Amino acid sequence: MRKILLTLLFLLLPSSIVAEESYQDTQKDFSLIISGGISLGAYEAGYNWALMRQLNHLKHNSSKTIKMHSIAGASAGAINSVMSAMAWCRSKEMANQQNLIENNLFYRMWTAIDFEDLFIDNQFGTTDADNTTSLFSRNKIELLSEEIFKELDAPYFEPECSIPFGFAVTRVEPKISKIQSIEIANKLFHIPLTLHIGNNKKAKIYDNSSLKRDNIIHLSHNGTPSNERVKKALFASSAFPIAFEEVELEYFHRGVFEKALFLDGGVFDNVPLDFARRLSSQQAEDYIFIDPKHLRRQLPKKNIRTKKHTASPVNSAIKLIGDIFSSSESSILYNTLAGEFKDKNKKIEISSRYFPITGMFLDHFGAFLDRGFREYDYYIGVYDSIVDGAKYTCNNVQKSERCQQLIRLKNYRLLSKKSNRAKYILNLLSSEEFGYPFESKTYTVEPDLLAIFNAIKSLNYQDIEEFYSFIENLNHEKYQAKNSYLKHTLAHPNEWYKQPFSSIMHRIVSLEKKNSGNLSKALSSITAYGIGALYKTKSGYQYNPISAPLDYDKFWVKTLPYELAFSKNLISLGYENYYYLDKESLLIPRAFEIKPSLSFILNDVDDQVDFFRCDFNLNYELKKDLITLGFGASAFQDLSNSIDSHVGFGSNIYLDFLDILRISYVKRDNYQGKDDFIYFGINDIPSFIYWMSD
């Protein structure tokens, strides 16, 4: 009851109290920095939209002077930076036009992209015939980005509004610059731009010529780059290495036209604070840094069992490379902080997150598993922006906690307009963190959001171990996946990685076939075939359970024999039928197997004929995906009446290695001819044909 009364009190308090206690400063001026983070972009999108919506509202509806001096981003933050610039310059009259919580550029851009749109895989993903160098396709992103440039040409903006923005990019081949007599190889460059609104209320992007540093590049010679060049620069800044294709940019460096390949700007400058400072002509007093990894709650310590081990040279080298890139990324930020922010007149306001988000899983690719994940992370971003915005506004106010409560409520009302779905999840989050909702009204439960919330809320570290817990929790909550990759993950929690691994392997071999010589093609195909057991999904009934991710035009290989085996004077062709059990225990079979096969004699001898054999086996995995033991009964039927026309019986036992090599011993009882066989077999013949064929 106390919580309800407290909520009602907040609702009844007049807005004049809010104004009196929170707007004592007459001016706020700041710059915005947006870091990269792959699928963390969905969280950032929610945070960015909400932050810009709040600031734009204050700019038009309060006596406080709100001034933004610059916006800088890298990687996923580059895309959010141009949308933030547009959001900042939106006119008061068009505040709600295409700009509600589930109807805005940020939401549409980030919730629509999932693994099915990214993976280049004819079976589960998308096709991208022109892409010859990367794992993922950018086709869906390019399609969605058209909406950004379409909105630039809509009369949604405030005349004469102008905001410098830009982003970092990494040159694939370093640029050699000579300073005095010293040659310096540089890979990090910045692209400074300005969004300016004309009297027609439409937006235009210009080169920003005020920055003169050696690592500055411009997209045009006349100050007005084409939308196509701006779009390519955005894609270059967000071209995560290997995942996305490098982008060739045409640009001007020191007035000279150049072409070069670029990739993710976050490689060396994931937090472009120094760039934001220079874009603002060093006028900003406050710098708002959006960092999805920064928490505002204390996590319990995780018990980690450590053991002494000697690192191999390979592991040491990999760790060293990772440390080098991490240090390169942070060194620029460190130098900026140490050199420029000791002055107390300049402050950094860093975003803070309270709840776990799905984008933190799988090295920041997790939100791409399902649209529901990205929508959930987006709402978390909106919620955190409400909380941080109140803290930022009430920073120097007496009775700050009361001020923050009132500002949170006011911003909640602003941001959740016309969306009961948003109101439901935002009230749920507020109740969990503060003990009371934003408002006492009850909204219809959103089952998908509630399922994710319950599945993830108690997970603190979001490592691979907790990812398994998250999937188990989602199954417990009966979450209905919207995309095939998550459907596979929920159906096979312990084998969640196999479908994406299969798609990645398929793509790697395709790239090798397009770009490499015959030897490299053959080696990549053989490797894919050899590790097939590691990405073969084992569940339910499967006929010829091949490891290759069949393209529809190659489905015919499924009809080929699964096993080719040799014994003394015999060759055998077999087909497999498995029914896999979900239980994984040495006491319980992993599968039931029915295997019909034909054995043909190579040379005529008196006691041998061609025969049909069918095995009925129990299958046990001694070492998951590596070693399998099988045994059971066998039935025999000769294909010639010269020896025995009756069905005979016997037994068999075998060992499988990697689901490829099989050694079998077969015993035929009470037979007049040869009754002992040792077979050396090669399994998964259809996959071998698949990988080796063009």
Side-chain angles (χ1 to χ4, degrees):
M1 179 62 73
R2 186 181 67 85
K3 294 178 182 178
I4 295 175
L5 291 174
L6 187 59
T7 303
L8 290 173
L9 176 63
F10 292 154
L11 291 170
L12 294 172
L13 281 171
S15 59
S16 59
I17 296 178
V18 179
E20 177 185 339
E21 291 202 338
S22 60
Y23 300 151
Q24 292 179 354
D25 295 340
T26 58
Q27 180 170 327
K28 284 281 187 183
D29 39 336
F30 59 91
S31 286
L32 180 63
I33 303 99
I34 312 168
S35 67
I38 315 171
S39 75
L40 293 177
Y43 170 87
E44 289 181 339
Y47 196 104
N48 269 57
W49 172 79
L51 175 66
M52 303 312 297
R53 185 84 164 87
Q54 293 171 77
L55 292 173
N56 190 282
H57 180 78
L58 283 177
K59 181 173 69 170
H60 293 303
N61 296 280
S62 77
S63 59
K64 183 187 288 290
T65 300
I66 306 291
K67 184 165 185 177
M68 182 185 289
H69 289 283
S70 64
I71 306 172
S75 194
I79 297 173
N80 284 333
S81 68
V82 65
M83 293 191 291
S84 293
M86 295 165 66
W88 170 252
C89 284
R90 205 173 193 91
S91 68
K92 181 178 180 180
E93 296 75 22
M94 304 303 293
N96 293 328
Q97 187 74 23
Q98 296 283 297
N99 196 35
L100 297 175
I101 190 168
E102 291 130 7
N103 183 19
N104 62 75
L105 278 177
F106 293 98
Y107 183 87
R108 292 191 292 272
M109 188 74 188
W110 282 103
T111 60
I113 302 169
D114 56 53
F115 276 142
E116 290 177 348
D117 301 309
L118 298 176
F119 273 124
I120 303 174
D121 179 347
N122 291 342
Q123 187 176 11
F124 299 112
T126 187
T127 56
D128 191 351
D130 296 329
N131 187 324
T132 60
T133 59
S134 68
L135 294 179
F136 291 161
S137 170
R138 198 185 281 116
N139 284 349
K140 182 69 173 285
I141 301 173
E142 290 187 11
L143 183 64
L144 290 168
S145 71
E146 291 297 333
E147 193 172 346
I148 295 175
F149 296 95
K150 182 179 178 181
E151 190 158 304
L152 285 172
D153 202 39
Y156 290 164
F157 305 99
E158 180 185 3
E160 300 306 315
C161 179
S162 187
I163 176 69
F165 75 98
F167 31 85
V169 291
T170 300
R171 204 175 191 267
V172 175
E173 295 293 331
K175 172 80 173 178
I176 306 299
S177 298
K178 193 169 185 178
I179 302 175
Q180 295 191 26
S181 59
I182 301 176
E183 290 188 343
I184 301 293
N186 178 47
K187 294 174 77 75
L188 172 63
F189 288 85
H190 292 124
I191 300 176
L193 300 163
T194 298
L195 182 79
H196 183 75
I197 313 303
N199 291 328
N200 60 359
K201 299 184 180 181
K202 296 181 180 181
K204 186 71 178 175
I205 294 175
Y206 297 92
D207 279 318
N208 186 328
S209 59
S210 63
L211 272 67
K212 304 295 184 183
R213 299 183 80 190
D214 192 64
N215 72 335
I216 295 297
I217 61 177
H218 297 289
L219 299 180
S220 71
H221 68 283
N222 61 1
T224 309
S226 66
N227 286 347
E228 185 63 23
R229 285 195 178 180
V230 175
K231 182 168 66 174
K232 281 190 171 184
L234 284 172
F235 294 156
S237 182
S238 55
F240 191 77
I242 301 175
F244 293 104
E245 281 189 299
E246 299 161 356
V247 180
E248 184 179 66
L249 297 183
E250 296 180 344
Y251 61 93
F252 291 83
H253 181 249
R254 293 187 173 275
V256 178
F257 176 77
E258 295 180 354
K259 283 184 182 181
L261 290 172
F262 288 84
L263 49 75
D264 199 320
V267 171
F268 292 108
D269 195 12
N270 198 43
V271 185
L273 174 61
D274 181 62
F275 184 41
R277 186 179 65 85
R278 294 177 185 278
L279 276 172
S280 73
S281 301
Q282 304 184 42
Q283 295 181 38
E285 294 180 357
D286 291 354
Y287 291 80
I288 300 177
F289 166 32
I290 299 178
D291 179 12
K293 297 183 285 294
H294 182 246
L295 299 177
R296 63 173 175 270
R297 64 186 180 118
Q298 188 72 32
L299 294 182
K301 289 185 177 181
K302 185 175 184 180
N303 293 324
I304 302 176
R305 289 178 293 178
T306 60
K307 61 179 181 179
K308 293 183 179 180
H309 66 280
T310 303
S312 70
V314 173
N315 288 337
S316 297
I318 292 173
K319 183 178 185 302
L320 177 61
I321 292 171
D323 289 344
I324 289 172
F325 276 100
S326 178
S327 298
S328 298
E329 176 188 323
S330 61
S331 62
I332 297 173
L333 177 62
Y334 172 80
N335 291 335
T336 303
L337 290 171
E340 303 296 334
F341 285 83
K342 289 184 178 179
D343 182 355
K344 293 183 179 179
N345 291 327
K346 293 182 179 179
K347 295 186 299 183
I348 294 180
E349 303 283 349
I350 189 169
S351 68
S352 64
R353 178 170 56 83
Y354 187 85
F355 296 98
I357 53 176
T358 67
M360 291 298 294
F361 286 121
L362 307 183
D363 286 329
H364 303 168
F365 278 93
F368 286 141
L369 275 171
D370 193 73
R371 181 185 178 96
F373 287 7
R374 296 185 297 282
E375 291 174 345
Y376 179 81
D377 286 2
Y378 175 88
Y379 289 124
I380 297 290
V382 172
Y383 171 78
D384 285 338
S385 185
I386 291 173
V387 175
D388 287 346
K391 190 183 302 181
Y392 180 66
T393 303
C394 301
N395 204 18
N396 298 316
V397 177
Q398 291 183 351
K399 302 180 181 178
S400 173
E401 181 57 34
R402 183 188 182 198
C403 171
Q404 289 184 48
Q405 291 169 349
L406 296 171
I407 295 297
R408 286 198 297 266
L409 176 60
K410 189 171 184 178
N411 287 337
Y412 158 78
R413 288 172 171 170
L414 171 71
L415 299 175
S416 63
K417 281 182 180 178
K418 299 184 180 181
S419 174
N420 287 343
R421 189 170 196 249
K423 290 174 181 177
Y424 168 76
I425 185 64
L426 294 176
N427 278 291
L428 177 65
L429 297 173
S430 178
S431 296
E432 183 74 13
E433 180 175 2
F434 296 107
Y436 50 83
F438 288 111
E439 58 178 332
S440 58
K441 183 177 178 179
T442 301
Y443 292 93
T444 303
V445 172
E446 294 289 335
D448 55 343
L449 296 177
L450 181 60
I452 298 172
F453 173 78
N454 287 333
I456 201 173
K457 67 178 181 180
S458 62
L459 305 180
N460 297 312
Y461 308 99
Q462 300 195 259
D463 52 21
I464 192 64
E465 182 180 331
E466 286 199 334
F467 179 73
Y468 283 102
S469 299
F470 178 50
I471 297 304
E472 288 179 3
N473 293 345
L474 285 176
N475 275 322
H476 178 74
E477 295 290 331
K478 295 180 171 54
Y479 180 73
Q480 298 299 309
K482 300 170 181 62
N483 303 104
S484 66
Y485 283 93
L486 185 61
K487 288 177 182 176
H488 174 271
T489 298
L490 293 175
H492 315 289
N494 293 323
E495 300 183 341
W496 66 268
Y497 57 88
K498 292 194 173 183
Q499 186 169 302
F501 186 23
S502 172
S503 296
I504 290 172
M505 199 68 230
H506 178 269
R507 179 59 182 165
I508 290 173
V509 175
S510 298
L511 292 175
E512 287 297 314
K513 288 182 177 180
K514 289 178 181 178
N515 301 318
S516 304
N518 290 333
L519 178 60
S520 181
K521 292 178 185 178
L523 289 175
S524 65
S525 296
I526 291 171
T527 300
Y529 169 66
I531 63 173
L534 302 181
Y535 52 78
K536 182 190 297 182
T537 300
K538 300 176 180 180
S539 180
Y541 171 74
Q542 292 190 27
Y543 163 73
N544 274 10
I546 69 175
S547 59
L550 282 182
D551 297 335
Y552 296 116
D553 61 346
K554 291 184 180 178
F555 199 79
W556 57 269
V557 303
K558 189 89 167 178
T559 65
L560 298 174
Y562 189 77
E563 181 191 53
L564 174 64
F566 301 90
S567 185
K568 184 178 180 181
N569 201 35
L570 284 176
I571 184 171
S572 174
L573 299 175
Y575 290 82
E576 291 283 8
N577 295 269
Y578 282 94
Y579 185 82
Y580 292 99
L581 302 178
D582 291 333
K583 300 292 184 180
E584 294 187 20
S585 170
L586 286 177
L587 301 177
I588 301 174
R590 183 68 179 89
F592 297 105
E593 175 190 13
I594 300 176
K595 178 187 174 185
S597 62
L598 292 171
S599 292
F600 303 96
I601 59 172
L602 299 176
N603 296 301
D604 289 335
V605 292
D606 292 338
D607 62 346
Q608 279 191 296
V609 296
D610 302 337
F611 61 88
F612 169 81
R613 183 179 104 237
C614 189
D615 298 332
F616 304 89
N617 295 331
L618 299 179
N619 179 297
Y620 291 83
E621 284 195 330
L622 304 182
K623 187 72 173 176
K624 183 177 174 61
D625 295 329
L626 297 177
I627 303 175
T628 302
L629 170 67
F631 57 86
S634 300
F636 299 83
Q637 173 65 61
D638 289 339
L639 300 180
S640 168
N641 291 328
S642 61
I643 295 182
D644 194 341
S645 61
H646 300 290
V647 175
F649 296 97
S651 59
N652 76 96
I653 186 170
Y654 66 82
L655 280 176
D656 260 355
F657 302 92
L658 285 173
D659 285 346
I660 292 178
L661 300 178
R662 175 176 287 196
I663 301 174
S664 305
Y665 171 71
V666 179
K667 173 70 173 175
R668 184 170 181 176
D669 298 330
N670 303 317
Y671 186 58
Q672 299 175 15
K674 181 174 173 58
D675 55 8
D676 292 278
F677 306 91
I678 296 178
Y679 287 95
F680 294 89
I682 301 174
N683 286 334
D684 207 0
I685 296 298
S687 291
F688 183 79
I689 301 298
Y690 172 90
W691 290 119
M692 297 304 294
S693 62
D694 290 327

